[in-house]
């Protein structure tokens, strides 16, 4: 559904990533690891079209990203759930409104969806904090809210950047369980993480591929994990 | 038409879409205030334009009517000079019709002053000739010279002609009023563009988040457009109301001044300034939409 072919990227100087090939097919589950500053976030940004490849091609849902206008990019993002590393929210809206934002901006916030929203907030353990403002949330609560926002549109692809960075182990497992569940429904999942325990736990449940960025290249990590 | 529908849709609005951009306190008031001031000025420009238009029109129709030639001569010569005058007028370009008034008409003219029993025939009353000119008019100096040669007792009285430059001035004044209204509209557009651009720049973060969750440019623009349109509408409505009240309270000059028609609005023309708030809203709508879509093109 999202495909990178021979992609390179640089922020201006030397290439940060080069010759990257990656295909997020329906039902696939990828982990992305690598040292801090290796370019994990950058790679995810290429996948959701925040950055444009300096070389190579990015295809999203069969369309060449280079040919997409801003409306086309918006359409793609409605099918991609995103958990940002720095969880950006609209600070003047409540948690519930932020989680429902993708529905609102795509004109799908029908009243029937309210029940779904409640269920989702309960699932991430934020139903009691639903009227809080994002700056009032703890780091873990922010990540859970970001996850809820990422999945509310039932997207085809879910990209998560360090989604468990601020979560305790129990909450991390709950998040993993949700991702695995979504993966079994055929969604493509890509999770950038340093959390090796999480990766091991996941491998016990699904056939996840582990990718590693080393020397600007994308490698498949072996059993050394 | 589709713009109008978009405008109506905006005003009905989607309050939720409006909420995605944080409220802005102080600068919002400034937009309302300047829209009000501009609308107030627009009311006066409109009043000026309509009043000078009315004046030009009234003077114009009076002028198009008549002038008169008065023939005072010793009793025996009146008839001959009248003939001569008519002959001159027949060959004067710009004269549509020339007609000597008969005794009954002359008596009717004098009646208000001398009563009904005036023996017109026995008095040395000058003979009057009514001249109706064509649209282009005649050359009064030339006519005067020819009359002096052909009928020394004839005097051309073209009392309405001196108004001609005044009519031109009134028409120019009307045009200036229209230009002022256009300038005011441009100032509103510029002011709204500046305010909207500032609001967009201040909300770059918000726009970034909206983009991430799949908002299209038109959606993001709409939140700003709706706001500024409503602000311009409320401000202009207030300013228009004040302006109209001020015009209504102007001292009535038409009675005292005689030739003035008064600076205010007349009759149905009171409805015209009501278009100002709608026009201001339309200008704000287009200006914000333009500014927003252009700014959003700049954000990556
Ligand atoms: N907007 C930018 N302009 C210039 N350089 C940037 C920009 N964003 C990131 N970088 C640089 O690119 C490199 C990769 O950044 P990136 O955020 O992709 O790393 P990461 O693998 O996600 O790291 P972490 O594990 O710490 O999140 C870093 O050296 C960073 O400083
Ligand atoms: Mg990162």
């Amino acid at each position: 559904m999202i495909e990178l072919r021979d992609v390179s990227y640089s922020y201006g100087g030397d290439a940060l990533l080069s010759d990257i090939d990656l295909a997020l097919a329906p039902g696939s589950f990828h982990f992305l690891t690598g040292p801090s500053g290796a370019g994990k976030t950058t790679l995810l940004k290429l996948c959701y079209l925040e950055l444009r490849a300096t070389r190579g091609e990015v295809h999203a849902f069969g369309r060449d990203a280079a040919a997409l206008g801003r409306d086309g990019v918006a359409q793609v993002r409605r099918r991609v759930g995103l958990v940002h590393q720095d969880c950006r929210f609209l600070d003047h809206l409540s948690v519930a409104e932020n989680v429902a934002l993708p529905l609102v901006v795509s004109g799908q916030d029908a009243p029937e969806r309210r029940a779904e929203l409640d269920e989702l907030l309960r699932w991430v353990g934020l139903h009691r904090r639903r009227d809080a403002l994002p700056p009032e949330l703890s780091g873990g609560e922010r990540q859970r809210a970001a996850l809820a926002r990422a999945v509310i549109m039932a997207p085809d692809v879910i990209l998560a950047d360090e989604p468990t960075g601020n979560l305790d182990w129990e909450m991390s497992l709950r998040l993993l369980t949700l991702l695995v569940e979504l993966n079994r429904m055929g969604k493509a999942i890509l999770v950038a993480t340093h959390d090796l325990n999480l990766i091991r736990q996941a491998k016990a449940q699904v056939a996840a591929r582990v990718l590693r960025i080393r020397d600007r290249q994308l490698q498949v990590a072996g059993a050394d994990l | 038409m589709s713009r109008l529908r978009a405008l109506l849709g905006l005003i009905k609005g989607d309050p939720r879409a409006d909420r995605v951009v944080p409220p802005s306190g102080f600068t919002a008031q400034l937009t309302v205030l300047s829209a009000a001031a501009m609308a107030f000025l627009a009311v006066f420009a409109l009043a000026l334009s309509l009043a000078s238009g009315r004046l030009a029109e009234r003077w114009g129709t009076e002028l198009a009517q008549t002038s008169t030639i008065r023939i005072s001569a010793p009793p025996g010569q009146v008839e001959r000079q009248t003939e001569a005058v008519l002959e001159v007028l027949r060959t004067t370009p710009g004269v549509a019709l020339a007609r000597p008034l008969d005794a009954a008409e002359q008596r009717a003219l004098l009646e208000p002053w001398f009563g009904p029993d005036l023996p017109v025939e026995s008095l040395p009353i000058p003979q009057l000739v009514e001249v109706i000119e064509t649209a282009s008019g005649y050359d009064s100096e030339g006519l005067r010279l020819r009359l002096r040669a052909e009928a020394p007792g004839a005097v051309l009285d073209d009392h309405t002609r001196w108004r001609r430059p005044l009519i031109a001035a009134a028409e120019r004044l009307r045009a200036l009023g229209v230009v002022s209204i256009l300038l005011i509209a441009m100032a509103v557009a510029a002011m709204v563009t500046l305010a909207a651009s500032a609001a967009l720049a201040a909300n770059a973060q918000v726009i970034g988040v909206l983009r991430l969750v799949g908002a299209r440019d038109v959606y993001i623009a709409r939140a700003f457009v709706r706001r500024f349109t409503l602000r311009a509408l409320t401000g202009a409505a207030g300013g228009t109301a004040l302006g109209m009240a001020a015009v209504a309270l102007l001292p009535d000059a038409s009675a005292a001044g005689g030739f003035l028609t008064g600076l205010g609005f007349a009759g149905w023309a009171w409805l015209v300034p009501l278009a100002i708030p709608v026009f201001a809203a339309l200008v704000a709508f287009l200006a914000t939409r333009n500014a927003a879509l252009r700014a959003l093109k700049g954000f990556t």
Side-chain angles (χ1 to χ4, degrees):
Chain A
M1 281 179 278
I2 292 186
E3 211 182 333
L4 276 59
R5 293 184 199 150
D6 202 17
V7 164
S8 296
Y9 189 80
S10 89
Y11 279 108
D14 292 342
L16 176 66
L17 300 168
S18 59
D19 311 321
I20 304 285
D21 284 292
L22 174 66
L24 303 179
S28 66
F29 201 126
H30 290 94
F31 282 103
L32 181 62
T33 62
S36 177
K40 300 183 294 296
T41 300
T42 304
L43 184 56
L44 291 192
K45 284 183 175 172
L46 288 166
C47 289
Y48 65 80
L49 315 185
E50 181 163 331
L51 297 176
R52 299 228 157 166
T54 36
R55 238 192 49 216
E57 290 176 18
V58 176
H59 288 258
F61 305 105
R63 298 167 71 186
D64 184 356
L68 287 176
R70 285 187 313 283
D71 281 355
V73 169
Q75 297 296 345
V76 167
R77 291 200 183 148
R78 289 178 191 183
R79 301 176 65 182
V80 176
L82 200 63
V83 182
H84 239 260
Q85 190 167 14
D86 51 357
C87 308
R88 293 186 249 160
F89 296 102
L90 297 185
D91 289 345
H92 63 288
L93 296 184
S94 71
V95 168
E97 285 172 312
N98 266 288
V99 169
L101 198 58
L103 296 176
V104 173
V105 303
S106 59
Q108 298 176 24
D109 57 331
E112 309 87 84
R113 293 281 188 131
R114 299 276 104 190
E116 269 173 61
L117 176 63
D118 287 342
E119 199 182 318
L120 192 56
L121 287 173
R122 184 152 319 191
W123 192 88
V124 294
L126 284 175
H127 54 290
R128 277 197 214 88
R129 303 287 283 146
R130 59 173 300 142
D131 295 321
L133 296 177
E136 302 163 3
L137 297 183
S138 73
E141 286 172 330
R142 286 174 75 83
Q143 275 184 326
R144 284 182 274 156
L147 179 71
R149 185 178 68 185
V151 300
I152 196 162
M153 290 282 280
D156 298 317
V157 178
I158 292 163
L159 306 175
D161 199 355
E162 303 285 0
T164 59
N166 290 306
L167 298 184
D168 58 33
W169 180 240
E170 191 202 345
M171 198 61 224
S172 300
L173 285 182
R174 265 165 78 182
L175 177 135
L176 183 65
T177 309
L178 176 75
L179 290 176
V180 168
E181 226 171 84
L182 291 165
N183 180 241
R184 291 205 172 114
M185 290 162 59
K187 317 282 185 199
I189 315 270
L190 174 61
V191 181
T193 186
H194 292 294
D195 190 344
L196 299 187
N197 283 330
L198 188 75
I199 297 177
R200 283 190 205 106
Q201 189 68 37
K203 285 185 109 174
Q205 297 179 40
V206 297
R209 285 217 304 165
V210 182
L211 307 172
R212 179 161 42 201
I213 300 177
R214 179 175 286 171
D215 300 332
R216 313 201 302 267
Q217 310 273 324
L218 200 56
Q219 305 173 338
V220 179
D224 56 322
L225 266 172
Chain B
M1 213 52 236
S2 69
R3 286 224 160 125
L4 188 67
R5 209 170 308 127
L7 188 68
L8 289 178
L10 269 177
I11 288 164
K12 265 193 292 152
D14 167 12
R16 208 98 95 74
D18 209 22
R19 293 242 306 130
V20 301
V21 178
S24 51
F26 171 61
T27 49
Q29 319 277 320
L30 283 182
T31 315
V32 175
L33 193 71
S34 20
M38 290 300 178
F40 191 83
L41 294 177
V43 171
F44 283 99
L46 197 61
L48 180 72
S49 178
L50 288 175
S52 48
R54 271 201 313 272
L55 202 58
E57 201 170 301
R58 210 179 78 185
W59 284 349
T61 47
E62 277 175 10
L63 186 139
Q65 285 165 4
T66 53
S67 38
T68 37
I69 292 173
R70 198 169 65 242
I71 303 156
S72 335
Q77 291 181 29
V78 170
E79 211 154 305
R80 201 192 54 74
Q81 289 209 10
T82 304
E83 280 305 311
V85 165
L86 290 175
E87 187 51 40
V88 166
L89 288 173
R90 242 192 306 280
T91 57
T92 304
V95 172
L97 189 79
R99 185 180 68 88
L101 299 189
D102 62 27
E105 285 173 304
Q106 301 230 63
R107 186 181 298 124
L109 282 175
L110 294 173
E111 206 180 273
W113 281 273
F114 300 107
D117 305 324
L118 190 70
V120 176
E121 291 78 6
S122 60
L123 285 173
I125 295 175
Q127 170 68 46
L128 296 180
V129 176
E130 180 185 48
V131 181
I132 295 176
E133 54 187 291
T134 60
S136 51
Y138 55 81
D139 166 24
S140 54
E141 277 318 301
L143 181 59
R144 223 169 243 130
L145 286 174
R146 290 179 63 203
L147 286 175
R148 196 175 302 154
E150 304 289 327
V155 177
L156 171 64
D157 180 3
D158 58 349
H159 58 278
T160 51
R161 297 202 127 221
W162 62 271
R163 285 184 177 169
R164 202 158 265 197
L166 281 187
I167 292 171
E171 263 157 11
R172 186 67 59 81
L173 206 55
R174 167 165 58 180
L176 285 178
V178 172
V179 169
S180 308
I181 290 172
L182 291 180
L183 287 176
I184 289 170
M186 278 166 59
V188 169
M191 179 267 294
V192 169
T193 301
L194 285 174
S197 303
L200 283 155
N203 284 296
Q205 296 267 1
V206 168
I207 291 168
V209 173
L210 290 173
R211 282 263 171 84
L212 281 182
V213 298
R216 294 168 63 209
D217 282 4
V218 283
Y219 181 88
I220 301 172
R222 198 148 58 210
F224 290 93
V225 169
R226 183 176 138 81
R227 241 169 232 216
F228 282 97
T229 306
L230 286 178
R231 278 173 203 164
L233 183 68
T234 26
T240 303
L242 286 176
M244 285 173 73
V247 169
L249 294 175
L250 277 180
D252 188 7
S254 51
F259 67 95
L260 249 183
T261 61
L263 189 59
F265 299 102
W268 62 267
W270 276 103
L271 297 178
V272 178
L274 297 182
I276 290 175
V278 179
F279 188 55
L282 189 70
V283 167
F285 169 78
L286 294 176
T288 318
R289 204 178 135 90
N290 243 326
L293 292 181
R294 197 143 20 87
L296 288 171
K297 235 175 254 177
F299 288 118
T300 43

